[in-house]
Amino acid sequence: MRKILIRMALTGAGFAVCAGIGAFCRFEYGAPDKTCVLCHEIRASRERMAASPHKDVNCKACHGGTLEALGDNLRRAVRHLQGADYAKLDSRFCLSEKQVDEVSARCAKCHAAEATQWAAGGHGRPVANYLTNTVHNATWKPADSCLRCHGMFMAGDLEDILVREGKVCRFQDTSREARRAVPCLTCHRMHAKDSLQLYSRAEQTSFPAQHLHLQKIVAADGSMVKRATDARTRLCASCHAANAEGVAGSGDDRTPLGAQEGMACMDCHKGHDLKADKSRGRCPVPKCAR
């Protein structure tokens, strides 16, 4: 009897191992439409992806292989058993700081030129360049509002991220210092027909750039400044904004004035490094002084 039980246990264990290997191979090498999308909670994301510029990109290119996604899938299963409302969670951003960095690294595999330009520009600099900038912090006291643009994906409030010692600030967790100030997901959303979108830290979701509010800017003489209304200008102006009164040149406002009034941001700033000198010789304004 004992031998029979041992044989049954070994047979069951062998069956479980074979079934596990089979399931792994199916999900690792099978088409997403035959594997991942079988889960009804993922179907909506896949449908949006099918209408996006990344429709031909395999799920694994961004989410990693079966073993890499195992932890996320187990958490999803637990939330499912707990009765999570996926209709609400579907639009909510759920990636961790580390995962945001991993997505940027995966973007770079296909968008190598753009990633190189971005890393060399202001948006690709370490977040420590901004949040612990001694010159800036000596004039402006760091506040949670700083995280709206410089730390969108960081968990916690400013007091959870920085330690203030007089006018000097430092990171509580030094591993955060090297994180890029404006990662790819700040301005892009993968599962969307229009991938140009701005991530909102407050709402924890992204909004299409074309629908973003464009602040009214007032010149020194009190007149309203003419502004471009294209999607990219709206996206840029969401962070590069003026003070609450909309005074031109205040805050981090970059609204073109003078001969460049009314021009769009991308009329001068080409590529992901955003250096305006790339536009020389292509300026749309006749006799534009540069």
Side-chain angles (χ1 to χ4, degrees):
M1 184 66 181
R2 183 178 179 183
K3 291 182 178 180
I4 294 175
L5 292 175
I6 292 175
R7 287 176 182 175
M8 291 178 62
L10 291 174
T11 300
F15 177 79
V17 170
C18 291
I21 293 174
F24 171 80
C25 291
R26 181 189 179 192
F27 277 86
E28 183 67 17
Y29 302 107
D33 289 341
K34 304 297 183 182
T35 55
C36 305
V37 187
L38 293 177
C39 175
H40 68 92
E41 292 163 354
I42 295 177
R43 200 166 299 146
S45 296
R46 180 60 180 175
E47 289 173 355
R48 289 197 300 271
M49 189 74 168
S52 77
H54 296 97
K55 61 183 179 181
D56 296 324
V57 178
N58 191 292
C59 299
K60 297 183 182 69
C62 298
H63 293 278
T66 303
L67 292 179
E68 292 178 89
L70 183 60
D72 291 334
N73 290 334
L74 288 175
R75 282 190 288 273
R76 177 182 287 272
V78 171
R79 289 198 296 265
H80 177 87
L81 294 174
Q82 291 174 340
D85 187 347
Y86 272 88
K88 293 181 179 179
L89 286 175
D90 187 50
S91 63
R92 190 183 179 94
F93 190 86
C94 299
L95 299 184
S96 66
E97 293 178 37
K98 181 182 178 182
Q99 288 174 319
V100 169
D101 293 340
E102 291 172 348
V103 170
S104 292
R106 284 170 177 152
C107 293
K109 291 182 178 180
C110 290
H111 303 283
E114 291 84 353
T116 300
Q117 293 173 350
W118 163 77
H123 290 169
R125 292 173 184 164
V127 69
N129 287 27
Y130 301 98
L131 294 183
T132 59
N133 186 304
T134 55
V135 176
H136 180 277
N137 292 348
T139 306
W140 297 91
K141 184 179 179 181
D144 284 329
S145 59
C146 300
L147 299 176
R148 188 177 67 85
C149 296
H150 303 297
M152 289 183 175
F153 301 100
M154 287 189 168
D157 297 327
L158 195 70
E159 62 183 13
D160 302 317
I161 299 171
L162 298 180
V163 175
R164 301 175 187 174
E165 299 172 345
K167 294 183 178 180
V168 177
C169 295
R170 60 178 176 81
F171 279 85
Q172 293 190 35
D173 181 356
T174 56
S175 66
R176 284 175 150 179
E177 294 178 1
R179 289 212 157 89
R180 304 291 185 170
V182 184
C184 303
L185 293 177
T186 300
C187 303
H188 300 285
R189 186 173 185 175
M190 291 292 294
H191 292 217
K193 184 176 182 180
D194 183 359
S195 63
L196 191 67
Q197 301 200 22
L198 177 72
Y199 176 74
S200 168
R201 176 181 171 84
E203 283 81 10
Q204 291 187 299
T205 189
S206 297
F207 296 92
Q210 62 182 338
H211 297 156
L212 296 174
H213 171 72
L214 193 63
Q215 186 182 25
K216 294 181 179 179
I217 300 298
V218 182
D221 60 2
S223 62
M224 300 300 299
V225 177
K226 181 181 178 181
R227 307 195 72 184
T229 59
D230 63 285
R232 285 179 173 79
T233 296
R234 291 177 182 273
L235 181 67
C236 299
S238 295
C239 281
H240 295 282
N243 61 16
E245 296 178 340
V247 178
S250 62
D252 201 28
D253 178 51
R254 298 290 192 275
T255 304
L257 301 174
Q260 293 85 29
E261 183 176 347
M263 286 174 56
C265 297
M266 301 310 288
D267 285 339
C268 292
H269 298 278
K270 304 295 182 181
H272 279 70
D273 62 3
L274 303 179
K275 292 181 180 178
D277 58 4
K278 295 293 180 67
S279 68
R280 289 174 180 168
R282 297 194 300 270
C283 184
V285 179
K287 299 180 179 179
C288 175
R290 290 189 178 276

